[in-house]
Amino acid sequence: MKNLKLVAVVGVIAAVVVLSVVGFTATQNQLVRREVVTVTERVTVTQSPAVPVTVTTPVVVTVTVTPTPTPTPTPRPTPTPTPTPTPSPTPTPTVTIGPTSITGGGATFVNPQMQLWIRRFMEVTGGRTSVNYQSIGSGAGEAKWLEGALDFGVSDIGISKAGYQKLVDGRRRFIQIPIIAGSVAVIYNIPEFARAGCELRLSGELVADIYLGKIIKWNDPRIAELQDSKCRTYLPDKEIYGVHRSDGSGTTALFTMYLTLISKEWAEKISYGYTVTWPRDQMGLGEGARGNEGVSAKVLNTPHSIGYVEAAYAIQQKIPVAFVRNREGRFVKPDATTVSEALKRAAVDLPGPQEFWGDLPLKYYMNREGENTYPIVGTPVAFMYLDAPRELRLALYEFFRWVLTEGQKAENIVEGFIPIPEALRVKALQYLEALIST
Amino acid sequence: MKTLLSTRKLKSAVVFISLLAAFLLALLLVGHIVATVTYRGLAVVASNFPRIFFDIPAVPGVREVGGVGPHLLGTALLVTIAFSIGVPISLLAAIFTAESLKPWERKLGKMTRLMTHMLIEFPTIVVGLSVYGIMSALTPYMKTLIPGFKPFSLLSGAVALFLVSVPYMYAQIEDGLKSIPQHVREAVYSLGAGRLLTSYILLKYLKSTVYAALSIGLARMVSETAALFFTAFGSDVYPLFDIQMLFRPIGSLTLAVYYFGLTGYENWVDLSWAASFILFVLSLVLFIASRLLLRGR
């Protein structure tokens, strides 16, 4: 009897749930139908430009743009042969391969973009090649790829020194390619500034000294002298609260790399890495927060604080971003133009695909010349083995070739992400050829 | 006399109130979880009603959420495989330890019990990592037999789930068998039944306990996350359906909750809530089933 009662009660609950679900769907039916329509539209849109022949034209266009900042006297030999790196103008999906599945993992930052690429790529290829990417973190991505559990890995700053040593010792053949642009934005919260309609200007040295604990208050004369003359008076007599990432992250790695490059004291005391020790914390004037979300929330909720997040995130969430002084003394914010400007220059002297890329942002991307160049930039790097089975290499080639051609077009880029500039893209495509030439 | 009585009453009242407060606090927490998951999840599930069970997740930053089809399929496959290996093994192991007669059997049974109880205490992430380690070590040898063998696979995930939930099922069934009075057991033996037949009869006697144990094991498998990180690995697209499927990564609802919940995109966070609601309903059904079966005892 007791049993029966319980069954009845459960039955009633289940019935209520089912009924409410049905009711909900009935009311929201229109909404659902509209969504379905948008989905089908999307499909047709993405399938029409499936033939990547059109890619060749933009290559020429931007190449003509590159030499304008007077690179003619520079002895760098590589940038000129740009017309050649369209080595496969024929749409390569002609390489017929059986159904293959690729597994990759790594950086969390690229995950949204990766998922979009995967969907579109599988729509275009009809699901013949199935790609699976999981955001397990840059460090884990590298480690699991080295252990052979992943077909490709993605890291925010490239393979680490220890990982590279392992590859060299094991005589493994591999390539690394940049897949998308990344940059770090310095964010801040000064209510007095916001009220006055002022925007903060900083330099790398100042940011380093703030996080080192050498600059305590916002109205420090060194900060004031950088500001616009009418904004100086609005700098409050308040202590700066320094927020940073508490979890290991590529954003921290890029940010600390920049400080290492700019400040000698930072290089000696702290250096760079996925996690570092923060002197300002020990003074009680700073703390860590988890993820881009955590840092931005902390900064937005703490008046007189400063922090740093992935620029894509800051743009997307519309958080106040500070101007940073570049090598030419100009103050710039991270956006599509300033970031590509920096990476475009790096394409010229990018090291070979099998060299050590762990300090690539430090040596090649950051603090580049040019008036409109943002200094704190990097590229998430994908890496894969050249000694993998042929079928897998073909599938990887097909996918990353799509990523570097169709994938860099505006319709396949998630809001806030920035495609890599043409020159770098062409170079990456060149490196990618190794997958099928061996 | 009177004052004594009043202090007693006071004490009683204090204890009663604090107990009530503790009870309410516990109820509040459970209620809060249930309410939030239902509130956030039900709306998403309802507004995407049939699609949510079949579609792949939508791209980030758009209005539609897509679905958790691959994750649902993955959970179903993982649990089916792990459960179908786990049930016979936990049953047989429980019978062996409970019905052991010879001294060496008893010793082995004791060892088994000790080890299983240790395994229950293990953090599941350690179980997952060790399965990953074993599978990585096996990979070079297995590659000669199966070219696509990789440590991140449906197989590894199923093995990890098996290791996580079998100790529970085993311990419960074994406790049930042990609780049968010795004279009942002797009565069965005295009729001339062999050991296997005896245990079969005794298990029939324990039917509800066994069912409850199995449904608890099942609920644990469905809701397990940590053990799957480095084994099933996760996948947001449907796997290719062929023979090699067993050796490829696969998604799971719990992993979907974790990965989508951590992102900053609203539609992915919604998807995470939907996945948690589906998980919640699944485990609730299993929980109620196990309660019902235990009551029928």
Side-chain angles (χ1 to χ4, degrees), chain A residues 6 10 24-25 28 32 35 39 101 103 112 115-116 119 131-132 134-136 144 147-148 150-151 293 316, chain B residues 46-49 56-57 59-60 64 132 150 152 233-237 248-249 259 262 265 268 288 292 295:
Chain A
L6 243 167
V10 171
F24 248 101
T25 25
Q28 308 236 336
V32 172
E35 276 173 3
V39 168
S101 114
T103 308
Q115 298 303 338
L116 182 79
R119 301 283 181 289
V131 187
N132 177 16
Q134 297 293 309
S135 55
I136 54 175
K144 299 302 170 208
E147 286 167 16
L150 295 175
D151 299 327
E293 308 86 63
Q316 197 194 318
Chain B
S47 58
N48 298 278
F49 178 48
I56 61 171
V59 295
E64 68 258 34
Y132 171 78
K150 282 268 166 79
F152 290 147
F233 187 61
S235 168
D236 301 323
V237 291
R248 290 212 194 92
Y259 281 129
L262 274 181
Y265 293 95
W268 277 7
I288 290 174
L292 282 179
R295 251 167 203 244

Side-chain angles (χ1 to χ4, degrees), chain A residues 49-56 58-59 85-93 117 121 178-179 397-413 419-420 422 425-426 428-429 432-433:
Chain A
V51 194
V53 187
T54 41
V55 183
T56 42
V59 171
T86 42
S88 34
T90 45
T92 28
W117 279 337
F121 173 74
I179 51 172
Y397 176 77
E398 200 186 5
F399 176 61
F400 279 104
R401 195 180 176 287
W402 188 91
V403 163
L404 288 171
T405 52
E406 293 293 303
Q408 302 292 327
K409 290 186 175 170
E411 71 261 25
N412 292 326
I413 293 282
I420 52 174
E422 203 60 37
R425 188 181 81 83
V426 164
L429 272 174
L432 196 65
E433 291 298 315

